[in-house]
Amino acid sequence: MKKSLEVKQIGIIHSPFPQPKDCPRQGMFSPAASVIEILPAYGDALLGVEAGRNYLVLYEAHLADRTLLQTVPPGLGRPCGVFASRSPHRPNPINICIVKLDRREGNKLHVTGLDAADQSSLIDIKPYARDLTPGEAEN
């Protein structure tokens, strides 16, 4: 029996990068500020989300080319498959990035280190494991 995958948009990303070509190669290389706006229906899920911590952000690279199966990563100089790279262009353009939460204003998370294009759909946000205390790691 085939199972279906249902992914819900839980927020929207507001970044200074209008197109994928404008995004940093890795978010950690950019001091640019972005805002992750959590949709009101998911606001209660922000309980315990604190400034100063790092978070994993999963988002849809909505402007990605889903037909590309190979790329030439910077510094490699030869082609490789997209599954062996961090290219945003892939069959299912679900990207992940580690961000630092600078401040929270209600459902708006002001972050640095994000490599998403403006208006990307937020899929999920999770605490970065290195920032967890032993008790939190068990949840």
Side-chain angles (χ1 to χ4, degrees):
M1 172 183 251
K2 181 179 177 183
K3 291 188 175 187
S4 65
L5 173 68
E6 181 182 342
V7 177
K8 296 179 182 181
Q9 177 184 2
I10 62 164
I12 190 81
I13 293 172
H14 305 283
S15 82
F17 313 117
Q19 296 293 320
K21 66 177 177 58
D22 303 314
C23 296
R25 187 169 57 86
Q26 302 272 336
M28 70 176 109
F29 297 139
S30 174
S34 298
V35 176
I36 299 172
E37 183 177 357
I38 305 297
L39 297 176
Y42 302 103
D44 287 346
L46 291 170
L47 181 65
V49 171
E50 300 173 1
R53 295 181 75 177
N54 294 315
Y55 290 88
L56 292 170
V57 173
L58 283 82
Y59 64 91
E60 177 194 19
H62 67 294
L63 300 174
D65 183 342
R66 293 174 173 248
T67 65
L68 290 182
L69 299 180
Q70 295 185 350
T71 187
V72 179
L76 187 59
R78 61 178 170 77
C80 71
V82 295
F83 299 152
S85 79
R86 291 183 45 90
S87 172
H89 306 288
R90 46 200 329 111
N92 289 310
I94 298 172
N95 290 349
I96 187 168
C97 189
I98 299 170
V99 302
K100 181 177 180 188
L101 177 57
D102 297 319
R103 73 182 188 281
R104 177 179 160 199
E105 295 175 351
N107 286 10
K108 293 184 179 178
L109 307 177
H110 296 260
V111 302
T112 51
L114 191 56
D115 57 9
D118 190 43
Q119 301 301 304
S120 294
S121 294
L122 179 68
I123 296 171
D124 205 356
I125 183 168
K126 300 175 186 233
Y128 182 55
R130 284 193 160 167
D131 285 353
L132 294 177
T133 63
E136 290 174 311
E138 295 172 6
N139 292 333

